[in-house]
Amino acid sequence: MADDKKRDDFAIEMGDRNGDRFEAPKATYRPAPQLAMASVTHNPIVPILAYCASSILMTVLNKYVLSGGSDFNLNFFLLCVQGVVCVTAIQTMKTLGVISYRDFNVDEARKWFPVSLLLVGMIYTGTKAIQYLSIPVYTIFKNLTIIITAYGEVLWFGGSVTRLTLFSFGLIVLSSVVAAWADIQHALQNYGHSNTEASAKISTLNAGYMWMLMNCFCTSSYVLGMRKRIKLTNFKDFDTMFYNNLLTIPILIVCSLVLENWSSENVSKNFPVESRNNIIFAMVVTGLGTIFISYASAWCVRATSAATYSMAGALNKIPIAVSGLIFFDAPVTIPSVSAIAIGSLSGIVYAIAKLKQSQQSKNVGLPIVAPLVSASSQSARDSMRS
């Protein structure tokens, strides 16, 4: 019977023999894949770098499509392609179970439609502004949105503006003035010998400033309007992304067909043969980039803190502005670099001001003096303590 039983052979590792003793084998540490992935996910440096990289990628690729050598004028079509790519991508991820968001609801779409109209105005004026302006100037002037939004919150939501916030506003205005002055000076120095070329360059800059100002007001209107509507719909991040892109697609299609030139000559002008594939690829990547930048923003807040995220957003303007100096023919002069430095400083000061303001609001309402109680209640508490 004993032979019929199944016997297993076991090998015991004794280690290396040293005389009459055996030395125990050295243990080797192998981190589990899950722990290694978790350490990367919760590392605050990784989401900050992802957020900065996504911002730079979106800005540079949009600039490449809009003014990277061809006279691109199908801006509504570009935005429509980005919206279709974004909706297709997030719907695919929802089908695979990677993300989740609400199914389409007509009543919620009706409530959210005004916000989508504001979004169309924001993204269209943004594409026109970056088409006429350099990336550093566009990034600096974008800070003006902060001022308009802040006073919009004061009027509609009862917000407040502190002295440090006002100081940051002054820096924002100063950086914008310096950036505009640097642009105009560079145009006059380079094209001063030809009044026609100088006038054409300054006219282009003026058009860019006009679109940038319109973009600041449209962006503030979108942010404030979205804040009001979110209270009605209680949307989460991916709900907002889904409805924003889905509802803007029909608007952009109609605007593109009605307002843009779809002749074969103009299409060939927008998509030249030598760079057609690169432009189409960049359009698709920017559509996917909207998902990436939204996820990177949420990841940055989740892995760090709201204060760190605000500071990262303020410092993020530096690499974005520098990317315009590297990848495009943006003028590198002392005034332009000074404008970037002042604009970045204004963002940092504003982030610090908002952090202090949020800390003060948390302390409001905390009792400084012990509350008054009746004599009978106080005697009952004393008896319980004893």
Side-chain angles (χ1 to χ4, degrees), residues 32-277:
Q34 294 85 355
L35 296 178
M37 182 62 67
S39 63
V40 172
T41 304
H42 295 285
N43 188 347
I45 302 298
V46 178
I48 291 175
L49 292 178
Y51 171 64
C52 294
S54 60
S55 301
I56 294 173
L57 180 67
M58 284 289 294
T59 306
V60 170
L61 288 180
N62 276 325
K63 180 66 175 177
Y64 169 76
V65 174
L66 293 167
S67 57
S70 62
D71 296 326
F72 196 89
N73 53 30
L74 300 177
N75 297 51
F76 283 117
F77 175 70
L78 167 65
L79 298 174
C80 182
V81 171
Q82 292 176 348
V84 170
V85 171
C86 181
V87 171
T88 304
I90 62 175
Q91 184 62 40
T92 302
M93 289 191 290
K94 181 183 179 181
T95 304
L96 296 175
V98 179
I99 62 175
S100 63
Y101 55 85
R102 305 182 191 183
D103 294 328
F104 181 78
N105 182 277
V106 177
D107 184 58
E108 290 179 339
R110 181 180 55 81
K111 293 178 180 178
W112 196 258
F113 187 74
V115 180
S116 297
L117 286 176
L118 294 174
L119 176 62
V120 171
M122 181 189 76
I123 57 180
Y124 179 77
T125 55
T127 59
K128 297 297 288 186
I130 200 173
Q131 188 170 5
Y132 291 113
L133 299 175
S134 64
I135 290 180
V137 175
Y138 172 81
T139 305
I140 293 168
F141 270 81
K142 194 71 176 177
N143 284 340
L144 292 172
T145 307
I146 297 175
I147 303 177
I148 303 172
T149 306
Y151 282 103
E153 288 181 343
V154 171
L155 294 175
W156 292 346
F157 299 101
S160 60
V161 177
T162 63
R163 292 182 178 178
L164 189 59
T165 306
L166 284 174
F167 177 65
S168 70
F169 291 170
L171 291 176
I172 290 173
V173 174
L174 177 62
S175 65
S176 302
V177 172
V178 173
W181 175 73
D183 254 8
I184 295 173
Q185 286 293 111
H186 181 264
L188 292 176
Q189 289 175 1
N190 281 13
Y191 304 101
H193 59 279
S194 173
N195 293 331
T196 304
E197 292 183 357
S199 300
K201 183 63 177 178
I202 292 177
S203 298
T204 301
L205 292 176
N206 289 335
Y209 300 147
M210 181 195 69
W211 283 112
M212 192 71 246
L213 184 62
M214 292 173 60
N215 178 252
C216 290
F217 280 101
C218 290
T219 303
S220 298
S221 301
Y222 167 71
V223 171
L224 297 171
M226 184 174 62
R227 182 175 173 182
K228 273 182 170 293
R229 288 291 172 173
I230 279 181
K231 294 180 179 180
L232 296 177
T233 58
N234 197 25
F235 276 178
K236 305 301 180 183
D237 290 340
F238 283 109
D239 299 325
T240 303
M241 186 186 303
F242 173 69
Y243 276 91
N244 267 343
N245 287 276
L246 184 65
L247 295 179
T248 55
I249 289 173
I251 303 172
L252 294 170
I253 291 176
V254 172
C255 290
S256 179
L257 293 176
V258 174
L259 301 177
E260 294 180 335
N261 183 7
W262 280 97
S263 64
S264 58
E265 181 182 355
N266 191 59
V267 172
S268 301
K269 179 182 177 182
N270 282 270
F271 297 96
V273 178
E274 61 274 8
S275 59
R276 181 175 301 167
N277 293 333

